[in-house]
Amino acid sequence: MCTYYYLHYHHIAPCARDIEYAVHYCYCSNSVSIASGSSLLSSASDAEQWVQQPCEALTYAAEYNPAEDMDYSNPCAGGGCLISQQCSSGGCRLEDLGGSWACCQCNRGGNTLRWCIRPMKKIPDALCYHAVCQNCRPDHK
């Protein structure tokens, strides 16, 4: 029998985004994989994307977060707090900066990734590699 339970993800201060919720499935041997019509590869490829589906006996896994003990206004009361990967990797800050930012370490702009890949001024063969942070600023070029 397949089971499911809810996970919640917190954002890291000073990010003020709301808690995100996700359903986590534990699949049994009766679960099935079905082909979705879309492909992640180029249209010339015949490859299909396969998606795991739970069995018909899908049940809520109360042992992970029992509903009777869960305070839905405060999901942390039941434990199981996780950190949002989007936030911890700098994705939220990158979004806040409009997708383009100037690095606070090397003062170079035009960054569109979560880390600065601009050459260092004193060592042109080395890249900055500073991860976007609260001190980095929007690049309005």
Side-chain angles (χ1 to χ4, degrees):
M1 154 177 53
C2 294
T3 59
Y4 74 97
Y5 56 94
Y6 295 97
L7 299 172
H8 66 280
Y9 296 90
H10 291 271
H11 289 265
I12 303 167
C15 183
R17 288 175 174 77
D18 291 333
I19 293 174
E20 297 172 1
Y21 295 89
V23 178
H24 180 78
Y25 292 95
C26 293
Y27 298 102
C28 70
S29 59
N30 293 329
S31 65
V32 294
S33 294
I34 60 170
S36 67
S38 65
S39 172
L40 296 176
L41 304 174
S42 67
S43 60
S45 175
D46 292 329
E48 292 180 307
Q49 180 180 5
W50 290 85
V51 178
Q52 184 97 19
Q53 295 292 317
C55 69
E56 292 182 16
L58 180 63
T59 305
Y60 179 71
E63 63 271 15
Y64 289 105
N65 47 4
E68 61 270 11
D69 295 333
M70 182 82 147
D71 179 2
Y72 290 102
S73 63
N74 180 13
C76 302
C81 299
L82 300 169
I83 301 296
S84 166
Q85 291 178 347
Q86 173 74 0
C87 198
S88 65
S89 67
C92 291
R93 182 64 181 144
L94 179 61
E95 187 178 305
D96 291 345
L97 295 173
S100 182
W101 57 283
C103 180
C104 68
Q105 297 295 306
C106 70
N107 293 315
R108 294 190 176 185
N111 295 301
T112 57
L113 302 174
R114 296 175 184 171
W115 56 91
C116 180
I117 57 169
R118 301 293 171 217
M120 299 294 288
K121 291 179 182 177
K122 293 183 179 180
I123 310 169
D125 291 341
L127 301 178
C128 178
Y129 288 122
H130 173 68
V132 63
C133 71
Q134 288 305 117
N135 295 326
C136 296
R137 59 193 184 285
D139 187 19
H140 299 294
K141 290 185 179 183

